[in-house]
Amino acid sequence: MKKNKTIGMIAAVPLEGNSIARRLGSTPVHNTGGLSWHTGRLGGAEIVFVVSGMGKTNASHAATILIRNYHPSLVVNFGVGGAYPSSELKKGDIAVASREVYADEGVLLKNGFQTLEYIDIPLFKKGRQMYFNELPADKEASRLMMAAARTCGFRTLRGTFATVSTCTGTRQRAGELSKRFVAICENMEGAAIAHICLIYDVPFVEVRGISNIAEERDKSKWNIRTASANCQKTVMEFSAQYIGR
Ligand SMILES: O=C(O)c1cccc(C(=O)CC[C@H]2O[C@@H](n3cnc4c(=O)[nH]cnc43)[C@H](O)[C@@H]2O)c1
C-alpha cells in the first residue's frame, strides 16, 4: 500500500482531541462514514485527525477509513484511560502502550475466563504468526512518545494496555484484569485500532492521559480535562520529534 509522511490520529470523544483540532485550525471535512476529518500541520508534521466515537466498532471504522483514504505512515491513538491500582499511575500521568490486549474476548468456563488461545481461533494471521488477544505497538514510536511525555514534564509509564467493552467499576475487577494481562491501564478502543493497523501493516502507537483509577466507580473523582490536556500536549510534542528524527 502507498504510504506517505502523514501521521494519522484517532481519539474517541471530542474532549480528548479539542486542543489538537484547534491547533490544526482547519475546518473539518465531513466525508465517508459521517466522520469529521481535520487535516493540517503539527510541529512540521502533516496530520489527519478524526474523532471516532467510543468503543471498538467506531474505532475500527475510523481506523479503516483513515488508512484506506489517507495512507498514513503511523497511526496514533490518544485520549484518556483508567489506571489499574497496581500500576501506581496517578491521575494526570501519561501511559504509553507496549502492546494492546482485547481483555474480554474469550470464553467463560466454570473455572473462569480463558483467552482466545483456548478456542484456538486467532483474530488475525500474518504468515505463520497468529494473533489472539494481543496486538503489537511500534517500539520506536512508543519510545519517542515516552520521550515526548518526559519533555513535557509528565510522570510516564510504558506497559500493556487492556481494551474492554465493559468499563471497570470495581477494584476486584481491576485486580483480575491487571493480573491476567499484566496491564497498567484500560480503555475502550486501543486493541481495535492496533488490530486494523496490523491488518494494513501500518505502525501503531497509543498514549493515554490517566483520567481515573479503575476502582469503585465514582465519577466525581475523575479528571478527564487534565488527563486529556496532558495527553494532547504529549502528542503535539511527539509530532515535532517524530518528524525531526
Ligand atoms: O461515565 C463513564 O462511566 C465513562 C466510562 C468510560 C469512559 C468515559 C468517558 O467519558 C471517556 C471516553 C473514553 O475514555 C476511555 N476511558 C477512560 N477511562 C476509562 C476506564 O476506566 N475504562 C475504560 N475506558 C476508559 C475510553 O477509551 C473511552 O472511549 C466515561
Side-chain angles (χ1 to χ4, degrees):
M1 178 183 293
K2 185 183 127 219
K3 284 182 193 156
N4 57 31
K5 284 278 182 194
T6 301
I7 304 177
M9 296 188 177
I10 305 175
V13 299
L15 182 61
E16 291 177 307
N18 52 4
S19 316
I20 284 182
R22 209 175 312 119
R23 275 285 287 277
L24 288 172
S26 62
T27 313
V29 178
H30 296 263
N31 64 3
T32 328
L35 297 169
S36 299
W37 300 85
H38 299 260
T39 57
R41 296 184 87 80
L42 274 184
E46 197 66 49
I47 307 294
V48 181
F49 166 56
V50 64
V51 175
S52 63
M54 204 165 87
K56 290 179 280 193
T57 304
N58 283 326
S60 306
H61 175 229
T64 305
I65 297 173
L66 173 65
I67 292 171
R68 299 286 298 182
N69 285 11
Y70 295 94
H71 313 288
S73 57
L74 174 75
V75 170
V76 179
N77 177 207
F78 70 95
V80 300
Y84 293 129
S86 55
S87 70
E88 296 188 3
L89 281 161
K90 306 285 176 239
K91 283 178 278 183
D93 289 350
I94 295 293
V96 177
S98 55
R99 63 174 187 160
E100 258 288 358
V101 293
Y102 282 111
D104 39 29
E105 252 84 339
V107 55
L108 189 61
L109 302 176
K110 269 189 195 154
N111 60 345
F113 174 87
Q114 306 290 328
T115 61
L116 293 169
E117 267 97 345
Y118 181 88
I119 311 173
D120 201 27
I121 303 174
L123 288 174
F124 184 62
K125 258 174 149 179
K126 198 177 213 173
R128 298 176 68 169
Q129 176 83 47
M130 296 204 277
Y131 295 89
F132 293 93
N133 291 61
E134 293 175 18
L135 291 313
D138 186 77
K139 273 207 186 87
E140 194 207 342
S142 304
R143 194 182 49 74
L144 264 181
M145 192 65 82
M146 292 284 290
R150 289 200 194 104
T151 303
C152 294
F154 302 131
R155 278 188 74 220
T156 310
L157 183 67
R158 184 163 167 263
T160 300
F161 283 20
T163 294
V164 294
S165 299
T166 305
C167 184
T168 296
T170 68
R171 196 171 257 262
Q172 187 193 325
R173 178 69 175 156
E176 284 165 17
L177 291 174
S178 58
K179 195 169 164 207
R180 178 175 303 139
F181 297 109
V182 200
I184 60 171
C185 65
E186 67 171 43
N187 68 90
M188 301 176 86
E189 299 82 22
I193 298 173
H195 188 165
I196 299 297
C197 287
L198 188 66
I199 291 172
Y200 289 102
D201 207 17
V202 180
F204 162 84
V205 63
E206 182 176 359
V207 58
R208 301 259 168 189
I210 300 303
S211 52
N212 59 291
I213 307 302
E215 56 187 1
E216 270 55 36
R217 183 181 151 81
D218 178 356
K219 199 81 191 278
S220 71
K221 289 187 183 166
W222 289 37
N223 193 340
I224 294 181
R225 224 164 268 281
T226 301
S228 166
N230 292 359
C231 187
Q232 290 180 82
K233 279 181 197 156
T234 301
V235 171
M236 289 188 221
E237 179 62 32
F238 169 86
S239 303
Q241 292 190 13
Y242 180 78
I243 225 65
R245 77 199 189 287

